[in-house]
Amino acid sequence: MRWMKVMMALACLGVVSACSVVTGGPLVRPGEPTGVLEIANGSSHTLTVILIADCSGMSYGLNRLPSGSTIPPGRSYRFTTSAGCWDVSAGLAYGTTIYETRFTTQVRPGRLTRHTVTGR
């Protein structure tokens, strides 16, 4: 019976870990200081996808913009994140073509880190 409980616990842990890989993990990790990552759209196209993942993550994960949200040219969006290294990918929609801009950034505790996406 004990063996069965251990196997169930490991299976649950595997599911939780897989979710972190798929989603890119939480932007704010419990107990860590936070900062703000601002993505500004300096292109002439609308940003429709922002992917953000911890630099040590295995995947960029899912879109971090709220459902139905975009970042039009000249506008920006702010994300509260744990301080540290983040990989970011921003998608520019242009007709049926998607252009991506990727960068790595350091978010400092209590500070605003701003990046302007200009496209290709």
Side-chain angles (χ1 to χ4, degrees), residues 6-17:
V6 169
M7 291 306 288
M8 292 286 281
L10 288 174
C12 289
L13 181 61
V15 168
V16 170
S17 295

Side-chain angles (χ1 to χ4, degrees), residues 72-111:
R75 303 294 302 265
S76 63
Y77 194 89
R78 291 182 175 184
F79 300 89
T80 299
T81 68
S82 287
C85 183
W86 294 94
D87 286 326
V88 180
S89 180
L92 296 151
Y94 182 66
T96 58
T97 305
I98 299 291
Y99 297 100
E100 279 186 280
T101 300
R102 293 182 178 192
F103 58 90
T104 299
T105 189
Q106 287 287 331
V107 174
R108 296 186 206 176
R111 304 280 307 265

Side-chain angles (χ1 to χ4, degrees), residues 20-104:
S20 289
V21 168
V22 171
T23 64
L27 293 179
V28 176
R29 295 177 293 268
E32 293 187 11
T34 61
V36 175
L37 174 59
E38 181 178 63
I39 308 298
N41 186 353
S43 76
S44 59
H45 309 293
T46 298
L47 291 172
T48 57
V49 177
I50 304 293
L51 308 177
I52 305 172
D54 185 287
C55 287
S56 63
M58 297 176 67
S59 156
Y60 275 100
L62 305 174
N63 189 5
R64 300 296 185 151
L65 286 173
S67 180
S69 294
T70 62
I71 307 174
R75 303 294 302 265
S76 63
Y77 194 89
R78 291 182 175 184
F79 300 89
T80 299
T81 68
S82 287
C85 183
W86 294 94
D87 286 326
V88 180
S89 180
L92 296 151
Y94 182 66
T96 58
T97 305
I98 299 291
Y99 297 100
E100 279 186 280
T101 300
R102 293 182 178 192
F103 58 90
T104 299

